[in-house]
Amino acid sequence: MPLDAVCLTALVKELKDVLAGAKIDKVQQPERDEIILSLRSGGRNERLIISAGTGDARMCLTKMSFENPAQPPMFCMLLRKHLVGGRIRDICQIPGERAADILIDSADSMGQVSEKHLVVEMMGKFSNIILTDGEMLIIDCLKRVDILMSEKRQVLPGMRYRVPPPQEKMPFTDKFDSETVLSGLKRAPGHKRADKIILDLFSGISPLMAREIVYRACGTTDVTAEEVLSSYRGEALAGCCEELAGRILKGEFVPFLLEDGDGKPTEFYCVEILQYGGYLTGRRLNSFSELIETYYGKRAAAERIRQRSHALTKSVKNAIDRLRRKLSLQRQEYEATFNRETLRQQGDIIAANYHRIKRGMTILRAENFYDPEGGETEIKLDPSKSPQQNAAKYYKEYSKAKNAEKFLAEQISQGEKELEYLESVLDEIGRAAGERDLGEIRLELQESGYIKGQVKGKKQQKNPPAGKPMEFRSTSGLRIRVGRNNRENDVLTLKDAFKTDMWLHTQKIHGSHVVISSEGREIDEGTIREAAVLAALYSQGKDGANVPVDYTLVKYVKKPSGARPGMVIYTDYRTVYVTPDERLADSLRVK
């Protein structure tokens, strides 16, 4: 992971400068493996997020909002008991490790100030958050580790905290000479990549840093030990190691972020990364907290939502699959009704040949007087029925098929609308920003009968009102609102919006309703285009380009009788083509 021991050194140095002396006002645990400390420091309110997630372990200041569970977890209650009201005395890194120790002075129930340590281990699947007293005796931890889980190191209440076992490597920031790197290259197999050798020699650095060292020395990352030694690049490689280690020891850090062509973060580090050339765009950020928040924040939130919405997504997908199978069968039956004239003709031929049919016959061979070319036809008969009953059977099937055509056409039309609705719900789940959004979608599906409601016998709660839509301000100052789900879309478009407001929606693509409040002014083209960008961003076309967005006055938007939530029809519209832009949305969002 990019957050290696070297990068953590830079982060801890920054946090120490900002948070030393900060008072802990609140402790929250929005997720199973995340803690939020609300702090008061230097007249400013700060929030420190501490995560022990397997793929996103981190510690940084955050500006993101989090939804807390109705009932705080036990570990959260414990931290509140010991830490709220305390002050951060110091933050230090456990030498050479991806672990930090937050030293806190807190008062107990008797008012006696005592020392506490909040140890944050950011080590992949072994990440943990551990609370100890001043003697480093463990009070409790987020993830308890017993002897069955690890024979080498247990982490349990009452035990003394021990730092993770050191790796049998030289810490990268230790002083070393060129011979350390050269001898490592010479001992390694000639076909082994140079960056892998660097990782084997030094602890505390990530594969990204190892590749960067090799790139700066050799101009490429794909080079073996044999190639380095034969090209006399060994000295250059050792020199790069010493130069970067020296900068780290001096505290010369740069919060450096790498992004792809779409502006999505792909890598970060505490020194400038050059190895990707023009394939990725690099930029310096203002702080390491901003760097880590930018890299982890949205992807961590997206993963949380994916986990929480798994059951809901599965229910909707199952409903979609069932509906598609039903529609397929209905369409087959509908196509079969087109052959009903053949049934009527066969009934006529049987009626014209009553005199030739004997009881017990299974096939009638007779002249087909409906065929312009004449000739005979064969018609199956029921041997247990009379000639009149056989003819009546074909006439009945003809009438049934005639009625079925109209009935099936209606059923297919309703099924297609229902499928469109379910697909729009699936799109909403993918764009949900938190448990509140998922709760509204869950309630919508309960009201529509797709999932079961609350179990009988439990205390019934009133349905919560639809939430407030997202709010933005255009460059010219007009208010733009964006619905998060079908319930919000209905309220926004059909109740809250005025007839003179502008309504926008992606053309033939599931997405949010967007409303520009005219506020008695003429809506300018720039605002319409900005609102269209928002409509495209909060739709299924968010990853596309030149997305068509229709816009019209709210007075031309209607909801058909019996239509599902969020389903409307509209007229008198125009279309604009835009490309979704998340940065524009962030700049227009009302904080």
Side-chain angles (χ1 to χ4, degrees):
M1 59 183 297
L3 186 58
D4 57 16
V6 171
C7 202
L8 183 61
T9 301
L11 175 63
V12 167
K13 179 178 182 296
E14 176 181 282
L15 291 177
K16 183 175 181 177
D17 294 339
V18 175
L19 298 181
K23 180 183 177 182
I24 301 175
D25 287 334
K26 292 181 182 178
V27 178
Q28 297 165 300
Q29 189 175 351
E31 299 294 331
R32 183 178 59 85
D33 51 14
E34 282 185 357
I35 299 295
I36 306 291
L37 300 183
S38 295
L39 307 166
R40 184 71 178 168
S41 174
R44 303 187 312 275
N45 292 321
E46 303 282 3
R47 286 190 302 165
L48 181 70
I49 180 172
I50 302 171
S51 172
T54 299
D56 59 357
R58 66 195 186 281
M59 178 178 70
C60 67
L61 298 177
T62 180
K63 295 181 180 179
M64 294 183 65
S65 58
F66 299 86
E67 294 181 15
N68 294 308
Q71 184 66 33
M74 292 300 296
F75 187 62
C76 178
M77 298 293 287
L78 179 81
L79 293 180
R80 288 177 179 178
K81 174 184 175 182
H82 288 278
L83 302 184
V84 170
R87 290 189 179 275
I88 296 177
R89 190 201 306 171
D90 195 10
I91 303 176
C92 59
Q93 181 182 10
I94 295 176
E97 298 291 345
R98 288 178 290 169
D101 182 2
I102 305 175
L103 179 59
I104 302 164
D105 291 326
S106 64
D108 57 21
S109 57
M110 302 299 293
Q112 295 294 320
V113 176
S114 60
E115 183 180 289
K116 299 290 191 304
H117 294 263
L118 191 63
V119 181
V120 185
E121 297 182 346
M122 294 160 275
M123 305 173 181
K125 65 179 181 179
F126 302 110
S127 299
N128 207 343
I129 302 172
I130 305 163
L131 179 67
T132 79
D133 64 12
E135 303 298 322
M136 300 307 290
L137 291 175
I138 298 173
I139 299 172
D140 209 344
C141 50
L142 184 68
K143 303 174 185 177
R144 296 184 178 184
V145 182
D146 58 26
I147 195 168
L148 296 177
M149 301 170 67
S150 174
E151 294 183 358
K152 294 183 177 180
R153 181 174 179 256
Q154 291 83 54
V155 183
L156 294 169
M159 299 183 67
R160 187 172 298 279
Y161 175 78
R162 294 182 295 118
V163 298
Q167 301 180 46
E168 296 181 357
K169 304 178 185 179
M170 174 186 287
F172 185 73
T173 52
D174 279 7
K175 294 182 178 180
F176 55 89
D177 54 27
S178 300
E179 191 58 35
T180 304
V181 179
L182 291 172
S183 61
L185 289 170
K186 293 173 182 176
R187 291 195 307 269
H191 63 275
K192 191 168 185 177
R193 285 171 52 119
D195 58 314
K196 300 293 184 184
I197 297 171
I198 297 295
L199 284 174
D200 291 342
L201 288 174
F202 303 108
S203 65
I205 61 172
S206 65
L208 175 68
M209 179 63 162
R211 292 196 304 271
E212 183 65 19
I213 292 170
V214 174
Y215 177 81
R216 293 190 180 198
C218 305
T220 179
T221 59
D222 189 14
V223 59
T224 64
E226 183 178 7
E227 291 169 340
V228 171
L229 293 172
S230 63
S231 62
Y232 304 101
R233 287 285 183 178
E235 293 286 348
L237 190 62
C240 280
C241 288
E242 291 191 27
E243 190 266 333
L244 287 172
R247 288 171 56 182
I248 291 166
L249 286 170
K250 294 176 184 177
E252 297 175 358
F253 300 114
V254 176
F256 195 78
L257 180 70
L258 287 164
E259 299 170 319
D260 61 16
D262 296 326
K264 294 181 180 179
T266 57
E267 296 279 7
F268 72 87
Y269 209 61
C270 59
V271 297
E272 190 173 355
I273 301 298
L274 308 176
Q275 61 190 271
Y276 293 103
Y279 293 103
L280 296 176
T281 302
R283 63 187 177 102
R284 296 188 180 193
L285 274 66
N286 296 322
S287 68
F288 283 97
S289 282
E290 181 187 358
L291 177 70
I292 293 171
E293 180 87 332
T294 303
Y295 182 83
Y296 284 111
K298 290 185 178 179
R299 68 175 62 192
E303 178 61 22
R304 287 197 302 269
I305 293 300
R306 188 194 66 78
Q307 292 174 357
R308 288 184 176 183
S309 64
H310 176 72
L312 205 58
T313 301
K314 185 177 180 181
S315 296
V316 175
K317 284 184 175 180
N318 288 341
I320 289 174
D321 290 341
R322 286 195 301 269
L323 186 55
R324 283 176 175 164
R325 289 194 296 269
K326 181 180 177 181
L327 281 170
S328 178
L329 293 174
Q330 288 177 336
R331 290 187 181 110
Q332 291 176 18
E333 293 177 15
Y334 181 72
E335 291 175 1
T337 64
F338 297 157
N339 298 322
R340 62 180 181 273
E341 283 299 319
T342 302
L343 297 172
R344 184 184 63 80
Q345 292 172 7
Q346 288 175 330
D348 290 345
I349 294 172
I350 291 174
N353 290 275
Y354 282 158
H355 62 286
R356 297 179 56 191
I357 302 173
K358 307 297 181 183
R359 184 174 289 275
M361 288 179 61
T362 58
I363 293 178
L364 169 65
R365 292 184 180 86
E367 179 186 357
N368 184 0
F369 43 77
Y370 285 103
D371 187 354
E373 297 180 2
E376 285 191 343
T377 184
E378 290 186 354
I379 303 173
K380 290 182 179 180
L381 300 175
D382 186 343
S384 65
K385 297 182 183 296
S386 67
Q388 291 80 3
Q389 289 173 328
N390 270 292
K393 172 176 170 286
Y394 278 96
Y395 288 138
K396 185 177 180 180
E397 289 180 358
Y398 165 75
S399 297
K400 184 179 177 181
K402 185 177 181 180
N403 294 330
E405 180 184 9
K406 181 180 179 181
F407 175 77
L408 286 169
E410 293 175 352
Q411 291 294 307
I412 290 171
S413 177
Q414 291 176 6
E416 288 173 343
K417 290 178 181 177
E418 189 175 357
L419 181 62
E420 183 181 1
Y421 166 71
L422 287 172
E423 288 175 341
S424 75
V425 173
L426 194 62
D427 175 58
E428 288 174 9
I429 295 172
R431 290 187 284 108
E435 182 57 38
R436 185 186 66 84
D437 292 349
L438 291 176
E440 288 191 7
I441 296 170
R442 192 178 293 111
L443 178 59
E444 179 185 332
L445 291 172
Q446 289 173 2
E447 293 173 344
S448 302
Y450 289 104
I451 61 176
K452 292 182 180 180
Q454 200 168 22
V455 179
K456 290 183 178 180
K458 290 189 176 181
K459 185 178 179 180
Q460 297 293 319
Q461 296 181 348
K462 291 183 179 180
N463 291 341
K468 293 182 179 180
M470 294 177 283
E471 190 167 329
F472 303 82
R473 282 280 173 183
S474 71
T475 303
S476 62
L478 288 176
R479 184 188 187 195
I480 304 173
R481 288 171 290 170
V482 181
R484 302 172 193 267
N485 52 62
N486 285 327
R487 293 182 79 219
E488 286 187 17
N489 288 338
D490 274 355
V491 173
L492 172 62
T493 301
L494 305 173
K495 293 184 179 181
D496 292 348
F498 293 99
K499 295 187 180 296
T500 54
D501 292 342
M502 188 71 72
W503 182 88
L504 301 92
H505 195 281
T506 45
Q507 186 182 93
K508 299 179 182 179
I509 301 174
H510 297 302
S512 296
H513 291 200
V514 178
V515 171
I516 305 172
S517 299
S518 61
E519 301 172 353
R521 297 164 52 186
E522 182 178 351
I523 300 175
D524 58 281
E525 292 295 327
T527 295
I528 292 175
R529 178 162 288 276
E530 288 174 347
V533 170
L534 295 175
L537 180 64
Y538 296 104
S539 77
Q540 284 184 326
K542 61 182 179 295
D543 296 321
N546 292 323
V547 178
V549 177
D550 294 337
Y551 64 96
T552 185
L553 293 177
V554 170
K555 67 179 181 179
Y556 296 123
V557 182
K558 310 295 180 186
K559 189 175 186 67
S561 178
R564 293 287 189 183
M567 301 292 108
V568 296
I569 55 176
Y570 55 94
T571 57
D572 297 80
Y573 63 89
R574 294 182 179 180
T575 305
V576 61
Y577 292 84
V578 295
T579 299
D581 187 342
E582 196 165 349
R583 291 182 182 175
L584 175 64
D586 289 340
S587 67
L588 300 179
R589 188 185 299 274
V590 176
K591 305 300 183 183

